[in-house]
């Protein structure tokens, strides 16, 4: 096993020509001076063109905040670091330039379709909006809306442009949300919990659809989810977040074969698998703490069965183990004997 610093992920090893997104030392804090809360701390990762990456973690781990920061969707948080999309730092752009990136550079499909969609506006108008805002003539935007809805499996799209959200099923609503995110042909799609509210059958249909579109368009996808089953069926690489920090970055097969970080191990032990009895499922012990009460050292130490005195006082650095990165003082022991 090779251990080295600085951390290197598969995406980082790719040539710059292949790198689509590079996030460097991203930190996000909220609140007035004196009462600042650090939501995200020093997150680094890259994505190559066409790559499907899952960003996973429990509620409050910072995954959605991180994704929203890439598009600077929230006005209040103070964001530091660099977010390079094809080498262009999005955090250095003015608001007008940033508006050009939203939708065309990076499209975002929001979590809750009922909240993301306007109940009193016909869905056609909502899907067309990203193009209309860019000055695309209405007739052309309308034609693109029909095409993208059809691509997403909405039958009779032309006739349904005048329909309202309440006339669509949960699965169809999610397709409309994806259509809004994809109509301006972004290079990167951020999909925030795109299947959470759907039943298992519809969930798989939406994932299959996303899979086909990503393949056809050579689209990079950053999928935010807390569901490791969704990760297994869609992603090529996994970024695991805990309490605002990235704690593991690995190819999906390697991660499922042998998670190194004790938190990742806990997440995987909690999901049903065909090779395991239900009574072998174990939830991650304890509860996540809010960012305002983040423990010292490794934030996972109060829940970690392997914690040592060092864990309570020193934040573990992210280190490379071949093509994997892990932030844990005991990563060598945890990965010992496993191919990296
Ligand atoms: Fe557990 Fe320590 Fe590793 Fe944190 S650094 S995950 S507390 S062993």
């Amino acid at each position: 096993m090779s251990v080295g610093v600085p951390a290197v992920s598969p995406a980082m090893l790719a040539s710059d020509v292949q790198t689509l997104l590079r996030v460097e030392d991203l930190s996000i804090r909220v609140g007035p001076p004196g009462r600042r809360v650090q939501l995200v701390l020093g997150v680094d990762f890259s994505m190559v063109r066409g790559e499907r990456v899952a960003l996973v973690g429990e509620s409050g781990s910072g995954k959605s905040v991180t994704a929203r920061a890439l598009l600077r969707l929230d006005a209040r948080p103070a964001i530091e670091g660099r977010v390079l999309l094809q080498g262009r730092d999005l955090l250095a752009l003015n608001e007008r330039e940033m508006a050009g990136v939203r939708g065309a550079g990076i499209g975002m499909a929001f979590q809750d379709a009922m909240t993301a969609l306007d109940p009193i506006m016909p869905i056609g108008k909502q899907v067309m909006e990203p193009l209309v805002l860019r000055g695309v003539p209405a007739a052309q935007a309308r034609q693109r809306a029909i095409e993208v809805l059809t691509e997403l499996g909405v039958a009779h799209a032309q006739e349904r442009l005048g329909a309202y959200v309440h006339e669509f099923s949960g699965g169809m609503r999610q397709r409309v949300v994806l259509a809004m995110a994809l109509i301006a042909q972004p290079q990167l799609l951020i999909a925030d919990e795109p299947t959470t509210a759907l039943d298992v059958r519809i969930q798989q249909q939406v994932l299959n659809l996303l899979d086909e579109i990503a393949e056809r368009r050579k689209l990079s996808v950053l999928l935010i989810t807390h569901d490791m089953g969704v990760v297994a069926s869609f992603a090529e690489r996994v970024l695991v977040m805990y309490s605002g920090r990235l704690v593991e970055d690995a190819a999906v097969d390697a991660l499922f074969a042998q998670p190194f970080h004790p938190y990742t191990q806990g997440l995987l032990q909690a999901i049903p698998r065909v090779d395991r009895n239900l009574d072998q499922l174990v939830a991650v012990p304890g509860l996540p703490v809010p960012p305002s009460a983040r423990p010292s050292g490794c934030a996972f130490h109060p829940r970690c069965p392997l914690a040592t005195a060092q864990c309570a006082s020193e934040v573990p650095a992210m280190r490379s183990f071949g093509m994997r990165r892990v932030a844990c003082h005991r990563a060598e022991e945890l990965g010992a004997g496993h191919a990296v």
Side-chain angles (χ1 to χ4, degrees):
M1 181 187 307
S2 66
V3 180
V5 177
V8 177
S9 71
M12 285 171 153
L13 288 171
S15 73
D16 278 350
V17 178
Q18 286 298 313
T19 301
L20 176 66
L21 178 76
R22 186 183 294 268
V23 175
E24 296 177 355
D25 202 18
L26 184 76
S27 292
I28 305 168
R29 59 177 196 273
V30 288
R35 283 193 291 129
R36 290 256 160 90
V37 176
Q38 201 76 41
L39 300 180
V40 170
L41 301 102
V43 164
D44 281 294
F45 68 92
S46 296
M47 289 179 68
V48 295
R49 291 168 200 279
E51 192 177 26
R52 298 166 200 191
V53 175
L55 185 57
V56 305
E58 292 163 301
S59 295
S61 60
K63 53 192 192 306
S64 290
V65 178
T66 297
R68 292 177 67 86
L70 304 186
L71 278 169
R72 288 170 38 195
L73 291 177
D74 302 313
R76 276 176 297 167
I79 306 172
E80 288 166 4
R82 298 209 303 165
V83 175
L84 301 165
L85 184 69
Q86 291 186 291
R88 193 179 181 208
D89 186 2
L90 303 187
L91 300 187
L93 301 185
N94 63 35
E95 196 40 50
R96 196 178 59 80
E97 292 167 327
M98 199 57 218
V101 172
R102 295 185 192 115
I106 304 177
M108 179 139 185
F110 293 95
Q111 185 174 147
D112 180 357
M114 278 310 263
T115 312
L117 297 170
D118 187 336
I120 59 169
M121 188 189 284
I123 64 102
K125 217 169 168 188
Q126 297 186 61
V127 174
M128 289 162 59
E129 198 167 61
L131 293 186
V132 172
L133 289 174
R134 281 176 170 71
V136 174
Q140 211 175 313
R142 187 173 186 279
Q143 185 53 38
R144 272 301 294 148
I146 295 168
E147 288 167 6
V148 75
L149 284 166
T150 304
E151 183 183 12
L152 282 156
V154 176
H156 312 293
Q158 187 164 348
E159 293 91 81
R160 304 203 75 186
L161 291 181
Y164 292 86
V165 178
H166 69 268
E167 298 174 66
F168 285 74
S169 66
M172 283 295 155
R173 281 198 287 267
Q174 199 54 49
R175 289 163 201 250
V176 173
V177 169
L178 286 169
M180 287 170 70
L182 291 170
I183 193 165
Q185 300 197 297
Q187 298 149 300
L188 169 65
L189 172 70
I190 300 176
D192 191 356
E193 304 273 9
T195 58
T196 296
L198 307 176
D199 69 45
V200 177
R201 189 176 56 87
I202 305 295
Q203 189 177 82
Q204 198 52 53
Q205 283 177 10
V206 171
L207 286 175
N208 291 346
L209 191 61
L210 207 48
D211 190 60
E212 284 168 29
I213 290 173
E215 186 67 36
R216 196 182 315 129
R217 292 191 178 199
K218 306 290 174 234
L219 184 69
S220 303
V221 182
L222 181 62
L223 180 79
I224 299 161
T225 182
H226 63 275
D227 184 334
M228 295 305 274
V230 168
V231 173
S233 66
F234 184 79
E236 296 163 329
R237 191 155 64 91
V238 190
L239 304 171
V240 182
M241 281 192 82
Y242 186 79
S243 191
R245 293 185 197 275
L246 213 53
V247 297
E248 186 155 6
D249 170 2
V252 70
D253 293 347
L255 187 105
F256 276 78
Q258 177 57 45
F260 280 22
H261 197 281
Y263 175 60
T264 317
Q265 292 179 353
L267 289 180
L268 292 182
Q269 277 166 4
I271 60 168
R273 289 169 54 148
V274 287
D275 58 351
R276 193 185 289 156
N277 295 326
L278 282 177
D279 57 11
Q280 290 178 286
L281 300 184
V282 186
V284 182
L287 293 170
V289 287
S292 56
R294 184 176 291 118
S296 61
C298 171
F300 189 57
H301 84 260
R303 305 173 70 186
C304 181
L306 303 174
T308 63
Q310 182 192 20
C311 302
S313 59
E314 274 178 44
V315 176
M318 185 66 109
R319 294 176 294 149
S320 297
F321 297 82
M323 301 295 274
R324 179 192 308 241
R325 297 187 298 153
V326 186
C328 171
H329 293 306
R330 303 186 64 178
E332 287 86 351
E333 297 161 61
L334 295 165
H338 292 277
V340 293

